[in-house]
Amino acid sequence: MEKIRHDLRLSETISPFGVGAIVDVRGESLMAPDTSWWDKKYAQEISCDRLMARIGAGVLRQPPAHANRAAKETPALPYWRFPAWRFCERCDKLSKLTGRKKGKWSNTCDCGGALVPMRYVAVCEKGSHIQDINWFQWAHRGRAASMDEAVRVCRDFKALRFHKLATRGEGLAALVVKCYGCKNERKLTELVSKGGLHQDGIRCAGRQPWEPESAVKKPCPYELVAVQRGATGNYIAERISALDIPEERPRSAETADEIRGHMLFGKIVTDNGGPQSEVLAQLIAEDLGVTAETVLGVAAGEEGPPGELLLDLKDGEWSAFLKKLDEGRDRSGSDFVVDGRSLEGIAGPRSLVGKISGIGQVRRVREVRALRGFRRHDADAALIHVDLGADRSYRPTYPAIELFGEGIFLRFDEGKIAAWEAQPEVQARAGILKKRRADSPWAGRLDVPEPRYVALHTLAHLLIRRLAFASGYASAALQERIYANSDRRDRTAGILIYTAAGDAQGTLGGLVRLGDPKKLIPLLVTALDDADICSNDPVCIESDRQGASQLNASACHGCSLVSETSCETGNRMLDRQLVLGGSDVRGLLDDVLPEVRRPR
């Protein structure tokens, strides 16, 4: 195997060209194998205790990187050629062979024409497997093969051609694969028909292209589907990121410790729900300033709702941010530096300033992103692990990168946001997205679209769009993190906007500067004003089913959507009505623009 060097950005090795993804480089189509193929001595280990505590056993490693032009001995990642079948753009010859030029392998045909990867591959419906389509086998199947003996016994492997017939228009009917040995030809319309590959006897190999045949322990029972090589559904990555923050204990955990340490708590446990429990719980509650229900819940061993991986990470981050906001100016000099800012005396609409209880200028923050696995074709398909080697069971390797950046943190007043989301109209509006999430077999991996989450998520998108004009960063270089959950013991209501492309743009200071309340409040007002009227109104504002899987309400590309790499949920769970109001729904910030526009 001859090594051919190509360059990728470091961040692209996690997304969108991570393990199992197809990447097009200079006319070649390549796929990254799992991390068991990495040369570990060139892949430095990344430390992030918070992330590994949630993922479990394993190690985070950064893909090999270099600063200058690649040489022969430069550490690199292996990539497999996929699909292996290619056709010559000059002579139309279709084969798996690679041309040679001056004694070296090249991406050219013997005739001198460039080799172009075939545009269709076969993907397993539920097993997340992908494989080449055996075009010679496929070209000699179908109705003609069953009627002609010469087609069935043809072995002229060098006579296969891929043509585009100008007389048949521009559709798939104009694309044919023809064998000049037996003269049989088939249109690609037969390839994409439902069950077409299965009828032709082409079965799923049950593995990834880089895995050997011995890796298959049992046959895959699912059928293959012919899809375009560049289809986005061919690679659905499952990533997780964590901010490297000195994790603080949530307030509810500290309260529980105080309750357990009270001298009367042992008697409540001994009484085990008896008549003395409520009396003793009330005494403890009065001493500690909590409710009796909280005391009884701790005595019963009740925990909060079962937390998902990302929610657990966010709990610790939220507590750390609140501590930083209370401390004011941060002089720690660590990897997590946040200046807490108060809004006292800040000019601006009271309907907006009154709902924000704190602003944090995040001067420095370290983020670690890791790739856990991927799916293909269907978001409900099997998850393929990023490490398929022998170490998978006890010490798997996860591809990861670390980024250093800056950001803006906003904390919203819990009392006011709770009062707003308690309105029946608001609950009904959010209930539309909740039902769709429940009805979708894969959307359960997304956050629950309760009113506060949808409103703050939409507001984060509006702010990102506005910051792209004022901060010096492109919108795709900004990332959101939404802290909005009312089902946890410690309710959260806040958003973090921070830089996300540190390998290219680093920290420029643009976000920290705009995090000054005197600059941020006008920016928020402008962001709301931008979203007040969408170019797709009135269709957009009156809609309750837009976007992927109809998991958006009043939100479209004209008003609320940002780069999918900037959004936690891939531009889903958005609704302008829950921010600005509409029809019979009161928005979280629907009083801001009328107050600003009111004649003085």
Side-chain angles (χ1 to χ4, degrees):
M1 181 185 298
E2 183 176 337
K3 295 182 179 179
I4 302 174
R5 298 288 182 175
H6 294 301
D7 287 335
L8 288 176
R9 285 175 53 185
L10 180 60
S11 61
E12 289 178 332
T13 60
I14 303 298
S15 172
F17 303 134
V19 172
I22 297 176
V23 52
D24 290 314
V25 180
R26 299 177 188 174
E28 297 183 84
S29 182
L30 309 171
M31 179 178 288
D34 67 89
T35 56
S36 65
W37 290 80
W38 287 17
D39 190 341
K40 303 299 193 302
K41 65 181 178 181
Y42 295 119
Q44 70 178 32
E45 188 171 338
I46 293 178
S47 174
C48 185
D49 294 338
R50 297 187 64 240
L51 189 56
M52 288 310 303
R54 271 66 177 190
I55 292 180
V59 59
L60 303 174
R61 290 191 180 276
Q62 177 179 289
H66 63 94
N68 299 310
R69 296 181 63 86
K72 288 186 177 180
E73 302 303 323
T74 301
L77 287 179
Y79 277 75
W80 285 74
R81 190 186 298 281
F82 181 85
W85 283 88
R86 290 166 295 167
F87 69 95
C88 176
E89 64 178 8
R90 180 181 296 178
C91 67
D92 296 333
K93 183 179 180 180
L94 177 59
S95 71
K96 297 174 66 175
L97 299 178
T98 299
R100 295 182 68 89
K101 186 176 182 181
K102 295 182 179 179
K104 294 184 178 181
W105 297 107
S106 68
N107 195 41
T108 55
C109 180
D110 293 336
C111 70
L115 294 176
V116 181
M118 284 299 287
R119 62 186 70 181
Y120 278 89
V121 295
V123 176
C124 181
E125 285 186 327
K126 292 293 184 181
S128 295
H129 305 122
I130 191 170
Q131 65 190 61
D132 253 308
I133 295 173
N134 188 325
W135 292 101
F136 186 85
Q137 177 184 354
W138 181 80
H140 292 83
R141 300 292 171 91
R143 294 183 59 189
S146 62
M147 299 169 58
D148 193 333
E149 181 69 19
V151 176
R152 291 198 297 271
V153 299
C154 178
R155 292 296 181 270
D156 196 347
F157 295 101
K158 295 184 178 182
L160 211 59
R161 298 290 186 272
F162 177 60
H163 292 301
K164 181 183 183 302
L165 304 179
T167 57
R168 297 186 184 177
E170 296 295 332
L172 290 179
L175 301 176
V176 299
V177 176
K178 182 175 181 179
C179 175
Y180 279 80
C182 62
K183 308 303 181 185
N184 188 48
E185 70 174 37
R186 297 188 71 183
K187 298 177 290 186
L188 291 197
T189 49
E190 300 178 43
L191 178 72
V192 297
S193 60
K194 184 174 179 59
L197 292 177
H198 186 76
Q199 293 173 6
D200 291 330
I202 300 177
R203 302 289 185 261
C204 179
R207 58 190 175 90
Q208 302 302 323
W210 63 84
E211 290 187 281
E213 294 183 6
S214 59
V216 181
K217 303 303 181 184
K218 58 181 180 179
C220 179
Y222 302 110
E223 292 187 11
L224 291 172
V225 180
V227 297
Q228 291 195 50
R229 174 173 53 89
T232 55
N234 290 347
Y235 186 72
I236 306 172
E238 183 166 315
R239 299 178 294 271
I240 185 168
S241 67
L243 301 181
D244 189 12
I245 293 175
E247 191 162 323
E248 300 291 336
R249 297 194 70 201
R251 178 57 190 161
S252 61
E254 295 177 354
T255 301
D257 288 345
E258 293 176 359
I259 292 173
R260 294 188 186 98
H262 197 279
M263 60 182 181
L264 298 178
F265 182 75
K267 296 181 179 180
I268 295 180
V269 175
T270 303
D271 194 47
N272 194 22
Q276 295 184 5
S277 296
E278 294 187 6
V279 177
L280 295 172
Q282 187 61 44
L283 294 174
I284 295 177
E286 291 175 358
D287 286 348
L288 301 179
V290 297
T291 63
E293 290 77 10
T294 301
V295 177
L296 293 173
V298 174
E302 296 177 359
E303 301 294 337
E308 298 179 1
L309 190 64
L310 188 56
L311 285 179
D312 285 341
L313 285 168
K314 287 183 176 180
D315 281 344
E317 294 172 8
W318 176 257
S319 301
F321 272 115
L322 296 192
K323 182 178 179 180
K324 292 287 187 179
L325 291 185
D326 294 338
E327 293 177 349
R329 180 74 175 180
D330 189 348
R331 304 182 187 278
S332 62
S334 63
D335 282 340
F336 182 57
V337 180
V338 181
D339 291 342
R341 299 297 298 272
S342 171
L343 278 80
E344 292 184 8
I346 299 298
R350 292 296 96 190
S351 52
L352 174 61
V353 176
K355 290 187 175 71
I356 300 175
S357 59
I359 293 176
Q361 291 178 285
V362 185
R363 296 189 176 277
R364 182 175 173 85
V365 64
R366 175 178 178 259
E367 180 194 13
V368 176
R369 295 183 194 169
L371 179 65
R372 299 180 65 199
F374 61 89
R375 293 177 170 86
R376 301 195 192 278
H377 186 64
D378 192 335
D380 199 33
L383 178 68
I384 304 299
H385 202 273
V386 290
D387 191 344
L388 300 177
D391 294 343
R392 175 185 176 181
S393 301
Y394 63 94
R395 190 176 169 79
T397 296
Y398 296 94
I401 57 173
E402 57 180 354
L403 305 170
F404 293 90
E406 56 174 326
I408 302 171
F409 177 78
L410 286 86
R411 182 190 183 189
F412 287 80
D413 185 89
E414 174 61 36
K416 292 183 179 179
I417 205 169
W420 165 76
E421 68 180 355
Q423 300 176 54
E425 298 83 3
V426 173
Q427 289 287 339
R429 180 71 178 180
I432 298 173
L433 297 180
K434 281 185 179 179
K435 184 178 185 303
R436 296 212 187 103
R437 176 183 179 271
D439 293 340
S440 175
W442 62 269
R445 296 194 290 270
L446 302 177
D447 292 81
V448 178
E450 54 182 313
R452 68 171 63 195
Y453 179 85
V454 177
L456 295 183
H457 186 203
T458 308
L459 181 61
H461 278 226
L462 303 182
L463 186 55
I464 286 175
R465 291 167 68 100
R466 175 43 50 183
L467 286 171
F469 292 99
S471 66
Y473 290 104
S475 63
L478 301 177
Q479 186 87 4
E480 69 175 11
R481 205 159 179 87
I482 312 299
Y483 304 91
N485 199 299
S486 61
D487 292 334
R488 317 287 281 183
R489 286 184 176 273
D490 295 271
R491 294 187 169 194
T492 59
I495 59 177
L496 170 67
I497 308 295
Y498 63 103
T499 55
D503 63 323
Q505 295 181 336
T507 301
L508 304 177
L511 286 184
V512 171
R513 177 179 62 86
L514 296 176
D516 187 324
K518 294 179 181 179
K519 294 183 174 67
L520 185 58
I521 296 302
L523 269 175
L524 284 168
V525 173
T526 306
L528 295 175
D529 187 57
D530 291 342
D532 189 31
I533 298 177
C534 173
S535 58
N536 292 323
D537 281 343
V539 175
C540 177
I541 194 64
E542 294 176 358
S543 176
D544 63 0
R545 52 181 67 241
Q546 297 190 83
S549 303
Q550 298 183 344
L551 288 172
N552 285 334
S554 300
C556 69
H557 283 283
C559 57
S560 306
L561 271 59
V562 297
S563 168
E564 288 196 2
T565 57
S566 299
C567 177
E568 286 186 328
T569 59
N571 275 327
R572 301 179 182 92
M573 307 301 181
L574 301 166
D575 184 14
R576 275 192 301 148
Q577 284 200 27
L578 288 180
V579 178
L580 298 167
S583 59
D584 299 328
V585 182
R586 290 290 306 275
L588 176 63
L589 301 174
D590 64 348
D591 295 333
V592 176
L593 293 180
E595 181 182 347
V596 172
R597 295 166 179 170
R598 189 179 303 131
R600 298 183 184 279

